[in-house]
């Protein structure tokens, strides 16, 4: 089972962007119903791809700088990074297949 790390503005670069594997970033907030709805899917994606993918979550209320940097205007938003660059994005609650396609495109 893969671990999903919580990151902040202060730790995003060191714990996220410097990942040697593709990085999935879940931008979320405690009050966001759709964020809670996709949390089990994000966990399944992490579990299914744990050795090939790093998964982190960033709470936009506690760390507003990083979402601003990447133009996050609604949540949930999932960004896929490869080699420190955004390669794809999903916004809103989506079916698991959409998340799998996002990940497969980066692996």
């Amino acid at each position: 089972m893969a671990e999903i790390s919580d990151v902040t503005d202060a730790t995003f670069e060191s714990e996220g962007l410097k990942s040697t594997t593709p990085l999935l970033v879940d931008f979320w907030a405690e009050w966001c119903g759709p964020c809670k709805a996709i949390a089990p899917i994000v966990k399944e994606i992490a579990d299914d791809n744990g050795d090939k993918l790093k998964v982190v979550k960033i709470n936009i209320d506690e760390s507003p700088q990083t979402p601003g940097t990447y133009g996050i205007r609604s949540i949930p938003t999932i960004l896929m990074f490869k080699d420190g660059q955004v390669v794809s994005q999903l916004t809103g609650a989506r079916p698991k297949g959409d998340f799998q396609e996002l990940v497969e495109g980066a692996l």
Side-chain angles (χ1 to χ4, degrees), residues 25-64:
V25 182
D26 179 4
F27 291 90
W28 72 288
E30 189 64 42
W31 49 263
C32 172
C35 297
K36 291 176 183 177
I38 69 162
I41 295 171
V42 172
K43 177 70 172 129
E44 286 178 34
I45 294 294
D47 290 344
D48 293 347
N49 299 282
D51 57 334
K52 303 175 280 194
L53 175 72
K54 181 167 185 170
V55 179
V56 300
K57 296 177 68 120
I58 187 164
N59 184 319
I60 65 160
D61 290 333
E62 296 172 2
S63 296

Side-chain angles (χ1 to χ4, degrees), residues 5-17:
S5 303
D6 288 308
V7 296
T8 65
D9 287 338
T11 62
F12 180 69
E13 186 172 340
S14 63
E15 292 187 35
L17 287 183

